Every structure is written in C-alpha cells, then in structure tokens.
Amino acid sequence: MPSVSSPQDLPARPRPGVFSRLGHALRDPVLIEPAIIALGALIVAAAVFSLFLLVLGKSPATFFSLVWMGGFSSWFSIQNALQRAAPLILTGLAFAIPARIGLTLLGAEGALVLGGLTAATIALPLQHWSLPALVILPVMASAAILVGALWMGLAGWLKHARGVNETISSLLLTYIAIAIASFLIEGPFRDPASANKPSTQPLGPDLRIGEMFGSSVHWGLAAGLVLAFVLWFLMARTTFGFAARITGGNLRAAQGQGLAVGRLLLTCCAIAGGCAGLAGFFEVAAIHGQANASLAAGYGFTGILVAFLARQNPLAVVPVAVLFGALDAAGGLVQRRMEMPDATMLVLQGVIFLVLLVSDTCYGRLPFLNYTRSGDRT
Amino acid sequence: MSQSPLPPRALALATRGITKIFGPMRALDDVSVEVPAGSFHALLGENGAGKSTLVKCIMGFYGADEGQVLLDGAPVRIDSPRQAQAQGIGMVYQHFTLVPCLTAAENLVMARAAAPAVINWRQETRGLEEFMDRMPFRVRLDKQVADLSAGEKQKLEILKLLYLDQRFLILDEPTSVMTPSEADEVLTLLRGMAERQEITVLMISHKFREVKAFCDGFTVLRRGRVTGGGDARTASVTEMSRMMIGETELRERAARESRGLPRPRLVLEQVCAEDETGRQVIENLSLTVGAGEVLGIAGVSGNGQAALVEVLAGQRPMSGGRLLADGAPFTPRRADLDRYKVFGLPEEPLRNATVPRMTVAENMAFRSFDKRPLAGRFGILSPARIRAQSRDLIRRYNVRTSSPDALIETLSGGNVQRAVLARELSGNVDVLIVANPCFGLDFASVAEIRAQIMDQRNRGAAVLLISEDLDEILELADRIAVMSEGRLTPAMAVETTSRAEIGRLMGGH
C-alpha cells in the first residue's frame, strides 16, 4: 500500500497533464470496474445463451454471426440498429435518472404509449387549422413530454406523499396507461379507415419527421444523444444533480442538509416521464405516423435493461442502447435463417438481465483491482 | 395463579475472566460474573459499557479472546447461539424476533430446532395448551402476533424460551418497549419463577427502579470492566449509579469564557413526536439554548433522544409544538438552516451526515454546493472549486485521506467525523446541534472534536449537546437537562448539580 501523502503537500501538487490523468483514470477502480463487470456479464450471458441454443440443437456460432450481420456488418444493418436504439436511449434515460436519486421506476412503457397517443391526437386539430409543421411538431413533442412527465410524476408523488412503493405503482400505472391508450384508440379516437388494426388518424406527410442526412435513421437518435449529454451534465455538474445524488446516496443525510427531498424526487420522475413521452412522440412522428397498439413494443422495458447495463450513467446509456438496438434489428434475420421463434431475442435479453443482476455482487471483489488505492484507511 | 408444576431445575452460570478485544479497543476486560441458580441478576452499565458484548460472548455470537463460561460449575464451550440453546441458555432481544403475521402458536412451533416437515396442528395445539397450563402466564395461542400488545409479545418471547426448555434466560432491556405496568407484570412473573427455582434470569437494564424492585444480585460494568456488584435489595440507587457512571473526573472541564445572561438562540416549545407505530416518543419537550452556552441533554439511550435529534435534523416530523430560531419560527429546511446558521454534528456520521459512495471533496461541499463560489450561474458546479475547498478544509482540520477524490467510506471513523466537522464548523455558526459526536472514536479524536465544539461555544454559538456519555456532558455543558421516557427535566446549571443527582434522574427517579 502506498504511503499516505501528508495533507500539507496536497495543494502544492502540480496539475497533472492530460495523459497522466488518462492513465490515472484507467487504473482507478471507480471508473474501470463497471466497464469490466458489464463486459464480463455480457460474455457470461452469451455463454449461457449458447448452452440454450445447443440444447435446442442450433449453432451458437451461426447465431452470433447472424447478430453481427443483422446489427453491425453493413451500413444498412447499422442504420437498422441505430433506428431501434433511438427510443432505447430515451427509455434507458427514463430509468437511469430516477435511479440516481434512489428510485426504481418501471413506468417508461406507459409514459411512452401515452406520450405517443398525445402527440398523434393533438396533431389532428392543429393539422385541420392548417398550421405549418414547424409549429405543430414542437407542440406535439411538448405535449408528449408533458403527459409522460405527469404520468411518471404521479408515481413519484405517490411515493413522496403517501409512501407507496414506486416500483409497484409505476409498473401498475404502465398497464393502466396501455389500457387507457387502447380504449381511446379503439374508441373515440379511432380512424374509421383503420379496419384491421385500430389506429388514430394518420398524420399528414409534412408531419412525418424525416431521416437524418439521407440515412434511414430518424431524428429521435439525435434527440437521444443530446438528451443523454444534457442529463449527464445535469446530474454530474449542476446543483440540482448534486442534491439529487446526495438524496439517492443517503436520504437521511439529505434531510439533515435540509434539501427539498420531495421536490427532487418529483422532478427526477418527471424528467424520466418526459424522456419516455418524447420517445413516444418519435415513434409516432417518425415510425408509425399514427398511434396504435404497436406503440407498446416493449421499448420501455428494454430501457430498464439498457440502464442497468449502463450502471445508470446517462452517457453509457448511448452505446448500450445501440447494442440492444442491434440485437433487436438482428431478430428478424435470426428468425428467418435459423427458424427460431421471435421470442428468442427475449430469452437472450432475459439471460442478460439475470446475469447482470448476479454480476452486481462482484463490485468490490475483483481480485486484480487495487481497491485500497483510492483511499487509505487510517 | 395456579402453582406451577414446572420442574425446578434452574441453571447457574458464571463467567471467569472474559476478555474481548475489537481492534484497538478492549470491549471486555477480565469480566467475571456469578449468577447462582434461581437468582434474578441485573447487569447494569452505561451505553458502550460492554453489557451486550458480554451476553453475546455467553450466547456464542462472539468468541471471547480469553476466559470461560461455567454452567452449573462446569466449563462449557459455546460457539454459536444454537449451541447455547442446546445447553439451555436462551435470550430475549431488545427487539422482537417474532413473525408478526403468524399466530402465537405458529411462532412457538416454528421456533423448535426440529419442527416436523408436516405439522399435525391438532396434536401441536393440544401440546401447546398443556404447556400453557403449566405456565404462570398465558398468551392467546390463536391470536396473530401483530395484534398482541408489546407486553404480550414480550411474554410470548419468554414463553418461547420456556417452550424450548431453556432455563437460563438472558433478557436485553426487556422492558424498553413496554409500559411500566406491563413491565411490572412480566417481571413479577419472572421473579416468581426464579424464586421457585424454575429459571435463572440475567437481565440487562438501565432502570434502577426495576433492578431495586425485582432483582436480587447485580453486577455493574463500566468501560468493559466490572466496577461493582452486590445485593440489589440492600444497595442504594446512589451507590449503583456511582458504580455505573464513575466518580473520578477523567478530564478537566473545558476552558470556557463566561459572559452575562445569554440571548436565546434556539427554542423548542412543547415539541411532541411519535415513532413509526404511533407511540409518543417525545412529550411536550421545551428548552432554550442561549448564545454562547452549551446545553447538555443527558439520558440513557432509548428515552427519546434519537427522535429529538431526528426532529431537529428534519428526519422526523413533529406531531406537535414548534421550533424557534432567533425568536422566529424555524423549520429544518435548507433556507432556514442557512438564514439562522444552524449546523449539526450527528452521531454515526457515515450513516447520518455523509454519502458513503461520494468523494471526500463532494461530502465536504454538502453545505456550500449551492452557493457561490462552488456554484456558478444557472447552478453549474465547479468540480475544481469543490476540490480546492476540500483541500483547504482537509489541511485545516487535519483530515487524513489519500486524496480529496477518495470515497469517504474509505476513511476511518475519526476522519469521517473530522470531515463532517470541517464542513459544518468552517463558517459562522449561530446554532450547533450535536448528538453523541464522539461515539466509537479513539481518544485523540475525542479530545479534538470536543475542543472544536467548545471553540464554537466560546465564539458565541448556541450549542445543544445530546449525549449518552455523562462525562462528555459534564465536561462541555453549562447547563444540563435529563431526558427520561420522552420527557425533559428543567435545565440545571452544572455547578449546582451532581453526578449522583443526574444519575438518579437518568434512572427515571
């Protein structure tokens, strides 16, 4: 163990250069430990899933090469992956932000569906008054964000004011949200022309959000990237984020500091709901063009997995979401080429989630990391 | 009550020279206690005196470093609570170990080491009824434990031990959760059983009244050593309290500057608070702390001090009364804490005042992160300034850490408290609320932290010191009030009172 530097020489230490700081970071357990454990968990999950394939008499090698082909190998498949990653970034953030303040909020799916429905329906009268798309689209997005924020904020309010477990309430609110949405889509808001699949009236072509730079990736990805950075900044570099981290790390300490714990909890929930609602807006405006049952495609739940693998770090959510987008994109290929049911990908996601939960027990126990380095016990 | 046909085979237990060392601390030092068969023995001592450690050594939770336990005169080796149970030694803990959603009968059957896989309830119920008939007190077997009163639960805990045929009962403050009348009832019954040589009881207690009324022998521990003992029926409360809290002044009273009548800075008016179950733990508590004085609140733990600290820290709502700072209504919100310059040093700072997984620098910024210069425009933080501030504080308060970026949980207890002290005391302090600030700290840290508190008083802060360590209070306080069963005695000037008087008030007299 290195000797304790005497307190007196601490301020006099010269400012380290970029490279030595990078080297320092690479040896800092706080930074590399999550990366090592997350990667290890993915490898173990792949191994377990291979066993599952072998039992079914399928070749794991074929499977993983198909995933590579379907998700990463060509510009086409990369676009496919990125397109699916867009909502996952947003729903991943919707889990990660409340998690930083100590809440396990599962409600992103419900907020996404309600946000999408709101965007699709609020656009119709505005379209009718022939307002320009540049006015309507922001209104749609804001309304989707607002509805999502209110919906998840409800779970936060129940937690703060009534002590209701937020995990349970947000999960149940999700099913209520989906039920409300299908009631409205099949009832009052139904487009009579949608005979086979009940939907709201389709948006006009000018309200469809185009693709970025000639690719098939829509602007939701850009929104996700920006939001991931903004929310990282909010949590890491602002007084709000600092107070939220105190609250998440030790509620008693936060109360002792007189922080407005309730307001912080509610705000984090509302931010989460806003992210999910925005994901719903993009699903409607860029993919489906109307609200229907396809909105509840499970992005809200996969987002939980994304946030877990990213250790609730808003920046890490982005690459993880791309990885899961690629898995999703490869699903169809696996289904066709290997003659496997489309639930295969759900099995893989489930295995990853389970291994991840187990891998949480490895923190602080990696034999090759020097944990004592970042602080000496005196 | 029918004469109990329980066979009279109470166990005698003795410890010989038990020593237990935790790191640098001798928690028990050569402790020998003699509990003859059929006696009702009290184990007295202040918090941290080593009572719990001793019974945990007897029960096999801890292995003693030296010494041995004798059962009926023969040495026994007990490595786990299960072995203790097999030897006939049972313990009732301070907190209930019953399953609330099961009935009393189910709890009893479940406690058996070898309960059958398939339970024949009719047969079990018959067996339990027969058992109950032999007992001096009963609990309704078909009632859910959640519906029992605290006294009934405690009776059931004791019945559980008797059901398992344990004849040496260790009770850890068994009456702390009961009303006085419930306590008297249970203790009377136990005393009766002991007199009939059916059981032997070793009871940890803080309450002189109970010890005087029910026990025959007593042993006093202080700082891990036996400081006295004798016959509880003849010893006076004054003698017992002197053994418990010592009589030699270990430390000079801290240097103080006296001034005229202080101006009231912090006032509590008729404050009430309840615990989670709605039981009132603070009753109409009023006090005034003036500028430049230390008001010490003494008392045995578990008499509402924890709730009082939580109320003042905003961690527990008040069910009545109000707080005033500088004469104006005060709530423990951040804006008020800043306006009236209220700061706090809680006990167990790692649990109450820090976020263990944040860095030392971040933890030191809890009071200042939302103000200039750490926060810039639009609430944007400057990590460099947070680090610079902590470097300065680390140097001034001599916090031993490898770097400001180390997680605070990697620091030793004394250094965590020093870091919190640096955060709370580095600015202007008008009101300081301190709770057991030195709990579990080494000698050097203790002296330093007390000096810092005294320094704040001399600079004109109003200090409220809530402590279970009477030495600490006598060293620091200008006035002393004693808390007992949620109520506070009027404050007395430290010169006009004595240890013996405080000890008596602490015991609820």
Side-chain angles (χ1 to χ4, degrees), chain A residues 44-56:
Chain A
V44 172
V48 173
F49 188 71
S50 302
L51 282 177
F52 169 75
L53 290 173
L54 286 172
V55 168
L56 292 180

Side-chain angles (χ1 to χ4, degrees), chain A residues 36-125:
Chain A
I36 292 176
I37 289 180
L39 274 177
L42 280 181
I43 291 168
V44 172
V48 173
F49 188 71
S50 302
L51 282 177
F52 169 75
L53 290 173
L54 286 172
V55 168
L56 292 180
K58 309 279 180 187
S59 153
T62 320
F63 175 82
F64 288 111
S65 65
L66 283 178
V67 167
W68 174 254
M69 273 174 65
F72 301 103
S73 68
S74 65
W75 178 223
F76 174 76
S77 50
I78 289 175
Q79 287 181 39
N80 243 338
L82 291 179
Q83 187 186 330
R84 287 171 165 82
L88 288 180
I89 294 175
L90 292 169
T91 54
L93 292 172
F95 184 84
I97 299 303
R100 296 304 289 270
I101 200 167
L103 296 178
T104 308
L105 220 53
L106 309 179
E109 183 86 357
L112 185 154
V113 169
L114 284 187
L117 176 68
T118 308
T121 47
I122 204 167
L124 299 175

Side-chain angles (χ1 to χ4, degrees), chain A residues 255-270:
Chain A
Q255 288 169 330
Q257 293 296 320
L259 298 176
V261 169
R263 208 173 60 207
L264 290 166
L265 289 179
L266 274 174
T267 312
C268 283
C269 290

Side-chain angles (χ1 to χ4, degrees), chain A residues 4-5 7-8 10-13 15 21 30 33 233 236-240 242-243 245-260 363 371-378, chain B residues 310 313-315 332-334 337 350-356 358 362 365-367 369-370 375 379-381 383 386 391 394-395 398-402 406-407 409-412 415 423-424:
Chain A
V4 187
S5 53
Q8 278 70 20
L10 275 176
R13 205 157 62 176
R15 205 179 159 74
R21 283 167 82 191
V30 177
E33 189 182 22
F233 189 84
R237 288 282 188 276
T238 67
T239 53
F240 172 84
F242 197 86
R245 282 187 294 147
I246 296 176
T247 310
N250 185 350
L251 184 62
R252 291 175 68 85
Q255 288 169 330
Q257 293 296 320
L259 298 176
Y363 281 88
Y371 288 105
T372 52
R373 209 186 57 89
S374 55
D376 285 280
R377 289 189 182 273
T378 48
Chain B
E310 285 176 344
Q315 293 161 340
R333 287 179 316 198
R334 201 162 175 86
L337 294 180
L350 203 58
R351 190 171 81 87
N352 284 314
T354 63
V355 176
M358 285 169 88
E362 287 174 323
F366 281 8
R367 271 313 279 253
F369 74 88
D370 53 353
I380 291 171
L381 289 179
I386 289 179
R391 284 219 179 87
I394 285 170
R395 192 179 60 245
N398 202 17
V399 181
R400 303 242 298 169
T401 173
S402 59
L407 298 183
E409 64 179 357
T410 60
L411 268 56
S412 71
N415 282 311
R423 172 180 91 202
E424 301 286 328

